[in-house]
Amino acid sequence: MGQVNEERRGVYPFCASCTASSVAWRVTDTSGPASGHFYGHRDTCPDCGSSIRTLYHTVLWVPVSKLGEYRVISTGGRSYIGRKLLAHPVQSVVRGEPMSAIAEHPELEAASEYRTAEAYWEDSEPGEALPFYQAALVEREKVLRADDPATLRVRLRVAQGLLATANYGRAIAWFELVTPELIDVFGPHHDLTHAATEAVTGARLMVGGPRAEAQLLANVVAADEQSVGPADPQVLRDRAALGKALLACGEISEALYALSRVVRDAPRGHPDTAVYRAALLEACEVAEARGKRREMLLAETARQVLSDESTPTNT
């Protein structure tokens, strides 16, 4: 799932033309009187069966504002897969390769773990490559920043390896963390960024929707807490993904709580902390837009966490 279909050259299950005119999109919970609902049904694709539907923000099921147009494929009942339509074709932007400090550490490129991982990857054996990429990543993060281009490439490989070995919860957690950093360092239209956004869509497709994703990630976090400490990078990464999944489900209070914990425990001066803080800020904005008193009070508390001088930042 999420890989290029060799016959249609699109992203499963969308055909090539529908893939080219849209971008990966996270499905959110559209149940409830104040949420988002699809209306309309047009331009059904003869190749993949997707159709264009318009998403509206609703209050008491009455459309209030248009949120965008999407290519949607129904997967039975109320389940569906969607991709957001591009208003305009993405312009090709020539962007120089970002500078990396890897040149100062040639031993990292020559390390046996990294070379073995690359060999397995070239042989289309991501599962075999995964443990070697994980070992290589540990060594890189000892001397390079987490958002150094050379580190990000290995981080992406770890996420892809987890996806290839059906470890969907931890794969989603990695993609949630790495994708914003890829956008910041390489740009939104770089091949690496595109690979990450499409891969996490494939992972979610395999999981079965935001509520199933939230339950899976809750189980992953519970397992984490049994094996490593609360401030371990793996726990933070997985708990942050759980918070994002809860937000997609419309469980705003739980999302605020989960993401606030992550931000409090995040490492100081680390690029990942910026991603966690942005996720909590997004949850605050969603809560404030919904206007429910309890959620707004929790959002106010969360904003105090973000502004507190004792709360870790990425600087």
Side-chain angles (χ1 to χ4, degrees):
M1 298 293 184
Q3 296 180 346
V4 174
N5 181 291
E6 290 302 323
E7 293 182 0
R8 295 184 303 164
R9 301 292 176 182
V11 175
Y12 183 89
F14 294 86
C15 66
S17 61
C18 291
T19 296
S21 64
S22 60
V23 293
W25 172 66
R26 179 179 194 135
V27 176
T28 56
D29 189 358
T30 55
S31 61
S35 58
H37 290 269
F38 281 115
Y39 292 88
H41 180 82
R42 62 183 175 83
D43 195 17
T44 299
C45 176
D47 293 323
C48 64
S50 68
S51 61
I52 295 177
R53 306 198 69 185
T54 304
L55 184 64
Y56 285 88
H57 172 66
T58 62
V59 176
L60 297 177
W61 292 282
V62 176
V64 174
S65 59
K66 182 177 177 180
L67 299 177
E69 292 189 324
Y70 298 80
R71 274 268 166 205
V72 174
I73 295 177
S74 174
T75 55
R78 296 183 178 180
S79 300
Y80 61 92
I81 307 157
R83 293 178 61 85
K84 188 171 185 178
L85 285 179
L86 295 168
H88 304 285
V90 175
Q91 298 296 315
S92 178
V93 178
V94 178
R95 180 170 176 170
E97 190 71 10
M99 293 296 293
S100 170
I102 192 71
E104 301 171 17
H105 302 278
E107 73 279 3
L108 295 175
E109 294 284 271
S112 61
E113 291 86 357
Y114 179 70
R115 292 172 67 86
T116 301
E118 290 283 272
Y120 276 125
W121 191 268
E122 288 297 320
D123 288 341
S124 300
E125 294 286 352
E128 298 292 338
L130 176 59
F132 294 100
Y133 275 128
Q134 290 172 320
L137 181 59
V138 171
E139 295 305 312
R140 290 196 177 208
E141 293 193 335
K142 289 179 180 178
V143 295
L144 299 178
R145 285 177 56 86
D147 60 352
D148 183 278
T151 311
L152 282 175
R153 290 176 185 276
V154 178
R155 284 182 147 209
L156 177 59
R157 287 288 187 250
V158 169
Q160 292 170 319
L162 288 166
L163 176 58
T165 54
N167 198 333
Y168 300 122
R170 290 203 167 94
I172 288 171
W174 263 116
F175 284 121
E176 287 277 15
L177 179 60
V178 173
T179 303
E181 295 174 344
L182 289 168
I183 291 171
D184 186 54
V185 173
F186 289 95
H189 308 308
H190 194 278
D191 287 346
L192 295 178
T193 307
H194 179 73
T197 55
E198 295 295 354
V200 74
T201 302
R204 292 193 175 109
L205 176 59
M206 295 301 296
V207 169
R211 292 194 177 277
E213 180 184 335
Q215 183 58 61
L216 173 62
L217 286 163
N219 294 338
V220 169
V221 170
D224 287 344
E225 292 175 341
Q226 292 291 322
S227 57
V228 293
D232 186 271
Q234 178 175 298
V235 177
L236 295 176
R237 190 167 56 242
D238 295 340
R239 191 184 292 139
L242 171 60
K244 293 278 286 185
L246 290 168
L247 187 64
C249 291
E251 304 292 343
I252 311 302
S253 299
E254 290 79 0
L256 287 166
Y257 175 70
L259 292 169
S260 293
R261 285 188 64 189
V262 172
V263 168
R264 289 192 189 98
D265 293 337
R268 294 185 181 277
H270 196 284
D272 293 352
T273 301
V275 178
Y276 299 145
R277 291 176 66 90
L280 179 56
L281 180 60
E282 179 188 359
C284 290
E285 292 171 347
V286 171
E288 291 157 356
R290 280 164 55 108
K292 293 186 177 181
R293 178 173 174 76
R294 180 170 181 269
E295 293 174 359
M296 291 181 69
L297 290 173
L298 288 170
E300 182 179 347
T301 301
R303 285 190 179 275
Q304 291 172 1
V305 170
L306 288 168
S307 62
D308 193 319
E309 291 184 358
S310 65
T311 302
T313 67
N314 60 307
T315 56

PDB file of all heavy atoms in Angstrom, residues 73-89:
ATOM      1  N   ILE A  73     -12.510   7.807  -2.518  1.00  0.00           N
ATOM      2  CA  ILE A  73     -12.907   6.436  -2.847  1.00  0.00           C
ATOM      3  C   ILE A  73     -13.541   5.830  -1.616  1.00  0.00           C
ATOM      4  O   ILE A  73     -12.923   5.796  -0.541  1.00  0.00           O
ATOM      5  CB  ILE A  73     -11.698   5.587  -3.284  1.00  0.00           C
ATOM      6  CG1 ILE A  73     -11.106   6.110  -4.584  1.00  0.00           C
ATOM      7  CG2 ILE A  73     -12.103   4.121  -3.443  1.00  0.00           C
ATOM      8  CD1 ILE A  73      -9.859   5.359  -5.047  1.00  0.00           C
ATOM      9  N   SER A  74     -14.775   5.365  -1.748  1.00  0.00           N
ATOM     10  CA  SER A  74     -15.452   4.714  -0.630  1.00  0.00           C
ATOM     11  C   SER A  74     -14.888   3.321  -0.422  1.00  0.00           C
ATOM     12  O   SER A  74     -14.615   2.591  -1.375  1.00  0.00           O
ATOM     13  CB  SER A  74     -16.957   4.619  -0.903  1.00  0.00           C
ATOM     14  OG  SER A  74     -17.599   3.874   0.116  1.00  0.00           O
ATOM     15  N   THR A  75     -14.690   2.949   0.850  1.00  0.00           N
ATOM     16  CA  THR A  75     -14.191   1.605   1.168  1.00  0.00           C
ATOM     17  C   THR A  75     -15.228   0.803   1.945  1.00  0.00           C
ATOM     18  O   THR A  75     -14.900  -0.179   2.590  1.00  0.00           O
ATOM     19  CB  THR A  75     -12.884   1.701   1.979  1.00  0.00           C
ATOM     20  OG1 THR A  75     -13.093   2.502   3.148  1.00  0.00           O
ATOM     21  CG2 THR A  75     -11.779   2.318   1.145  1.00  0.00           C
ATOM     22  N   GLY A  76     -16.480   1.231   1.884  1.00  0.00           N
ATOM     23  CA  GLY A  76     -17.548   0.490   2.545  1.00  0.00           C
ATOM     24  C   GLY A  76     -18.098   1.238   3.739  1.00  0.00           C
ATOM     25  O   GLY A  76     -17.342   1.773   4.554  1.00  0.00           O
ATOM     26  N   GLY A  77     -19.445   1.284   3.868  1.00  0.00           N
ATOM     27  CA  GLY A  77     -20.055   1.995   4.977  1.00  0.00           C
ATOM     28  C   GLY A  77     -19.706   3.474   4.920  1.00  0.00           C
ATOM     29  O   GLY A  77     -19.831   4.126   3.900  1.00  0.00           O
ATOM     30  N   ARG A  78     -19.238   3.996   6.056  1.00  0.00           N
ATOM     31  CA  ARG A  78     -18.834   5.396   6.111  1.00  0.00           C
ATOM     32  C   ARG A  78     -17.326   5.579   5.930  1.00  0.00           C
ATOM     33  O   ARG A  78     -16.800   6.673   6.108  1.00  0.00           O
ATOM     34  CB  ARG A  78     -19.261   6.008   7.449  1.00  0.00           C
ATOM     35  CG  ARG A  78     -20.776   6.058   7.648  1.00  0.00           C
ATOM     36  CD  ARG A  78     -21.118   6.743   8.954  1.00  0.00           C
ATOM     37  NE  ARG A  78     -22.565   6.844   9.139  1.00  0.00           N
ATOM     38  CZ  ARG A  78     -23.148   7.396  10.199  1.00  0.00           C
ATOM     39  NH1 ARG A  78     -22.386   7.901  11.166  1.00  0.00           N
ATOM     40  NH2 ARG A  78     -24.449   7.451  10.303  1.00  0.00           N
ATOM     41  N   SER A  79     -16.644   4.507   5.603  1.00  0.00           N
ATOM     42  CA  SER A  79     -15.194   4.582   5.452  1.00  0.00           C
ATOM     43  C   SER A  79     -14.836   5.032   4.039  1.00  0.00           C
ATOM     44  O   SER A  79     -15.535   4.722   3.076  1.00  0.00           O
ATOM     45  CB  SER A  79     -14.562   3.212   5.728  1.00  0.00           C
ATOM     46  OG  SER A  79     -14.847   2.790   7.039  1.00  0.00           O
ATOM     47  N   TYR A  80     -13.733   5.749   3.946  1.00  0.00           N
ATOM     48  CA  TYR A  80     -13.305   6.242   2.648  1.00  0.00           C
ATOM     49  C   TYR A  80     -11.821   6.594   2.703  1.00  0.00           C
ATOM     50  O   TYR A  80     -11.218   6.703   3.763  1.00  0.00           O
ATOM     51  CB  TYR A  80     -14.112   7.475   2.239  1.00  0.00           C
ATOM     52  CG  TYR A  80     -13.954   8.634   3.184  1.00  0.00           C
ATOM     53  CD1 TYR A  80     -12.972   9.598   2.974  1.00  0.00           C
ATOM     54  CD2 TYR A  80     -14.774   8.764   4.298  1.00  0.00           C
ATOM     55  CE1 TYR A  80     -12.798  10.648   3.846  1.00  0.00           C
ATOM     56  CE2 TYR A  80     -14.612   9.809   5.185  1.00  0.00           C
ATOM     57  CZ  TYR A  80     -13.630  10.748   4.961  1.00  0.00           C
ATOM     58  OH  TYR A  80     -13.463  11.790   5.833  1.00  0.00           O
ATOM     59  N   ILE A  81     -11.240   6.775   1.525  1.00  0.00           N
ATOM     60  CA  ILE A  81      -9.874   7.245   1.366  1.00  0.00           C
ATOM     61  C   ILE A  81      -9.957   8.517   0.536  1.00  0.00           C
ATOM     62  O   ILE A  81     -10.692   8.572  -0.453  1.00  0.00           O
ATOM     63  CB  ILE A  81      -9.000   6.214   0.633  1.00  0.00           C
ATOM     64  CG1 ILE A  81      -9.096   4.853   1.323  1.00  0.00           C
ATOM     65  CG2 ILE A  81      -7.554   6.658   0.566  1.00  0.00           C
ATOM     66  CD1 ILE A  81      -8.744   3.713   0.406  1.00  0.00           C
ATOM     67  N   GLY A  82      -9.224   9.538   0.921  1.00  0.00           N
ATOM     68  CA  GLY A  82      -9.306  10.797   0.194  1.00  0.00           C
ATOM     69  C   GLY A  82      -7.957  11.412  -0.101  1.00  0.00           C
ATOM     70  O   GLY A  82      -6.977  11.173   0.614  1.00  0.00           O
ATOM     71  N   ARG A  83      -7.904  12.184  -1.165  1.00  0.00           N
ATOM     72  CA  ARG A  83      -6.738  12.992  -1.517  1.00  0.00           C
ATOM     73  C   ARG A  83      -7.241  14.393  -1.849  1.00  0.00           C
ATOM     74  O   ARG A  83      -8.222  14.551  -2.562  1.00  0.00           O
ATOM     75  CB  ARG A  83      -5.996  12.405  -2.726  1.00  0.00           C
ATOM     76  CG  ARG A  83      -5.330  11.070  -2.450  1.00  0.00           C
ATOM     77  CD  ARG A  83      -4.655  10.516  -3.706  1.00  0.00           C
ATOM     78  NE  ARG A  83      -3.615  11.394  -4.197  1.00  0.00           N
ATOM     79  CZ  ARG A  83      -2.345  11.381  -3.745  1.00  0.00           C
ATOM     80  NH1 ARG A  83      -1.999  10.546  -2.779  1.00  0.00           N
ATOM     81  NH2 ARG A  83      -1.443  12.195  -4.246  1.00  0.00           N
ATOM     82  N   LYS A  84      -6.564  15.409  -1.326  1.00  0.00           N
ATOM     83  CA  LYS A  84      -7.003  16.782  -1.547  1.00  0.00           C
ATOM     84  C   LYS A  84      -6.606  17.251  -2.934  1.00  0.00           C
ATOM     85  O   LYS A  84      -5.451  17.108  -3.350  1.00  0.00           O
ATOM     86  CB  LYS A  84      -6.404  17.709  -0.490  1.00  0.00           C
ATOM     87  CG  LYS A  84      -6.975  19.125  -0.549  1.00  0.00           C
ATOM     88  CD  LYS A  84      -6.529  19.960   0.638  1.00  0.00           C
ATOM     89  CE  LYS A  84      -7.202  21.324   0.607  1.00  0.00           C
ATOM     90  NZ  LYS A  84      -6.821  22.147   1.789  1.00  0.00           N
ATOM     91  N   LEU A  85      -7.571  17.831  -3.658  1.00  0.00           N
ATOM     92  CA  LEU A  85      -7.296  18.329  -5.001  1.00  0.00           C
ATOM     93  C   LEU A  85      -6.402  19.563  -4.942  1.00  0.00           C
ATOM     94  O   LEU A  85      -6.535  20.399  -4.043  1.00  0.00           O
ATOM     95  CB  LEU A  85      -8.600  18.703  -5.713  1.00  0.00           C
ATOM     96  CG  LEU A  85      -9.466  17.552  -6.233  1.00  0.00           C
ATOM     97  CD1 LEU A  85     -10.715  18.113  -6.891  1.00  0.00           C
ATOM     98  CD2 LEU A  85      -8.698  16.706  -7.219  1.00  0.00           C
ATOM     99  N   LEU A  86      -5.498  19.655  -5.889  1.00  0.00           N
ATOM    100  CA  LEU A  86      -4.646  20.827  -6.020  1.00  0.00           C
ATOM    101  C   LEU A  86      -5.395  21.924  -6.771  1.00  0.00           C
ATOM    102  O   LEU A  86      -5.937  21.680  -7.852  1.00  0.00           O
ATOM    103  CB  LEU A  86      -3.361  20.475  -6.771  1.00  0.00           C
ATOM    104  CG  LEU A  86      -2.421  19.492  -6.068  1.00  0.00           C
ATOM    105  CD1 LEU A  86      -1.353  19.009  -7.051  1.00  0.00           C
ATOM    106  CD2 LEU A  86      -1.782  20.142  -4.866  1.00  0.00           C
ATOM    107  N   ALA A  87      -5.450  23.107  -6.188  1.00  0.00           N
ATOM    108  CA  ALA A  87      -6.121  24.217  -6.861  1.00  0.00           C
ATOM    109  C   ALA A  87      -5.383  24.610  -8.131  1.00  0.00           C
ATOM    110  O   ALA A  87      -5.979  24.973  -9.136  1.00  0.00           O
ATOM    111  CB  ALA A  87      -6.228  25.410  -5.913  1.00  0.00           C
ATOM    112  N   HIS A  88      -4.053  24.519  -8.070  1.00  0.00           N
ATOM    113  CA  HIS A  88      -3.225  24.841  -9.222  1.00  0.00           C
ATOM    114  C   HIS A  88      -2.121  23.796  -9.312  1.00  0.00           C
ATOM    115  O   HIS A  88      -1.674  23.264  -8.286  1.00  0.00           O
ATOM    116  CB  HIS A  88      -2.605  26.235  -9.086  1.00  0.00           C
ATOM    117  CG  HIS A  88      -3.608  27.318  -8.876  1.00  0.00           C
ATOM    118  ND1 HIS A  88      -4.409  27.808  -9.880  1.00  0.00           N
ATOM    119  CD2 HIS A  88      -3.959  27.989  -7.747  1.00  0.00           C
ATOM    120  CE1 HIS A  88      -5.200  28.744  -9.389  1.00  0.00           C
ATOM    121  NE2 HIS A  88      -4.957  28.873  -8.105  1.00  0.00           N
ATOM    122  N   PRO A  89      -1.658  23.483 -10.499  1.00  0.00           N
ATOM    123  CA  PRO A  89      -0.551  22.533 -10.614  1.00  0.00           C
ATOM    124  C   PRO A  89       0.661  23.014  -9.831  1.00  0.00           C
ATOM    125  O   PRO A  89       0.948  24.207  -9.790  1.00  0.00           O
ATOM    126  CB  PRO A  89      -0.255  22.504 -12.133  1.00  0.00           C
ATOM    127  CG  PRO A  89      -1.507  23.002 -12.773  1.00  0.00           C
ATOM    128  CD  PRO A  89      -2.121  23.975 -11.804  1.00  0.00           C
TER     129      PRO A  89
END
